[in-house]
Amino acid sequence: MKSTDLLMLRPMMPLVTENLERLFTLHRVEPGGDPERLIAEVGPRAKGMAVSHVRVDGALLDRLPQLEIVANFGVGYDTIDAAECNRRGVMVTNTPDVLTDEVADLAVGLLLATVRQIPQVDRYLRAGKWLEKPYPLTGTLRGRRVGILGLGRIGRAIAHRLEAFGVAIAYHGRSRQPDVAYPYHATLLDLAQAVDVLMVVAPGSPETRGIVNREVLAALGPEGILINVARGSLVDEAALIQALEDGTIQSAGLDVFDDEPRVPAGLIAQEHTVLLPHVGSASTHTRAAMGQLVVDNLVSWFSGKGPLTPVAETPWPRSAP
């Protein structure tokens, strides 16, 4: 495998970089380097890519004629045109399962922080305001109805955790899941009308862009809380800002944004929002497991054993033509 050329167009964690340099011939862009130059030099012979937040589309694939596999760091791969990769015979892998519990923990923590205003209360104490008077009463999870948009691995893990809080749980996805007892709603709008907390855990794609829109937010109602740990693209951020400003919903807890790392000033200005810099899987333990799975997918592929975690669009074994 040492003679196999791999591309890394953005810096990745040392665990990934060091292991790939040891096992393959890795060509990587240093911080501040020029990826275009590297593609021009190595692209014609590169057989694999390790990527994180890199757009892989037809235009890039045209420049990588020998490419066999794209190993993505992360469970979401909306920056990769996986259907086009499949058409060209290029395998795409991601890092599911190893981050499920971490993201689910963070999602529940974000919900608690939002409903009980934990960051605001912390700031209140640090500013010395407790010396003047107690912090005002906050909202509660008691009696809440939680709707989960996207009941995949992470969505199920979140639901399992929320059961311990005694809240009602329902969900919406592309189809009803026969092994799930939670109530299913055929449309997102129906789900939003039935709940007052909407937990967004669905994949990002052109089809899901902006699906949490003005109508969905209005359906949540003035006690409504939006939590998003999936992709910022699923939420119409302009509609969300307006809904927060005019009281259409109560508050929002967001770990993801549409144009990261740029966060709209209208969200930052809201006192009762809780905003995190996309840290759902960002623990030392989980990021190490994700990085190792990137390496393991590439090693398995170039050892002739196939991918460990292929995405749905590039199944393995491959379907007969």
Side-chain angles (χ1 to χ4, degrees), residues 9-239:
L9 298 179
R10 285 187 61 178
M12 297 179 70
M13 63 189 302
L15 182 152
V16 177
T17 301
E18 292 168 6
N19 277 285
L20 293 182
E21 284 183 329
R22 177 173 56 86
L23 296 165
F24 300 92
T25 300
L26 180 66
H27 308 270
R28 59 191 179 100
V29 175
E30 301 289 347
D34 182 8
E36 286 297 317
R37 180 178 176 180
L38 189 63
I39 294 169
E41 291 177 354
V42 183
R45 66 179 188 274
K47 292 188 175 182
M49 291 181 70
V51 301
S52 177
H53 302 292
V54 170
R55 181 156 299 283
V56 180
D57 54 17
L60 178 58
L61 294 170
D62 284 342
R63 304 173 68 185
L64 308 173
Q66 303 300 316
L67 191 67
E68 298 179 16
I69 182 170
V70 178
N72 183 61
F73 180 88
V75 66
Y77 52 96
D78 45 304
T79 57
I80 300 171
D81 189 341
E84 180 62 16
C85 286
N86 186 57
R87 191 182 72 81
R88 297 177 185 232
V90 177
M91 176 57 59
V92 179
T93 65
N94 63 343
T95 59
D97 297 321
V98 293
L99 53 67
T100 295
D101 287 334
E102 205 75 76
V103 177
D105 290 349
L106 188 283
V108 174
L110 183 54
L111 173 58
L112 288 170
T114 302
V115 74
R116 294 300 311 275
Q117 301 177 20
I118 292 173
Q120 296 89 339
V121 176
D122 175 84
R123 293 196 296 267
Y124 188 90
L125 181 149
R126 292 174 187 274
K129 295 182 180 180
W130 191 19
L131 297 169
E132 303 169 8
K133 59 181 180 180
Y135 190 84
L137 300 180
T138 70
T140 180
L141 278 185
R142 308 284 71 75
R144 286 278 182 178
R145 300 158 297 160
V146 179
I148 299 177
L149 170 59
L151 201 68
R153 294 179 180 91
I154 296 172
R156 288 187 180 219
I158 292 170
H160 177 71
R161 285 157 172 75
L162 289 176
E163 287 177 1
F165 290 90
V167 297
I169 299 170
Y171 74 101
H172 167 70
R174 286 174 291 185
S175 59
R176 183 190 301 270
Q177 301 189 28
D179 60 337
V180 171
Y182 310 125
Y184 172 73
H185 293 267
T187 70
L188 177 55
L189 187 59
D190 286 345
L191 177 66
Q193 290 170 340
V195 302
D196 48 37
V197 174
L198 181 60
M199 183 81 69
V200 180
V201 206
S205 70
E207 293 72 30
T208 59
R209 170 165 286 279
I211 58 171
V212 181
N213 56 24
R214 179 176 56 83
E215 290 78 16
V216 169
L217 295 169
L220 277 178
E223 299 298 313
I225 293 175
L226 176 70
I227 305 293
N228 189 3
V229 294
R231 286 290 185 265
S233 62
L234 278 80
V235 176
D236 181 337
E237 288 183 339

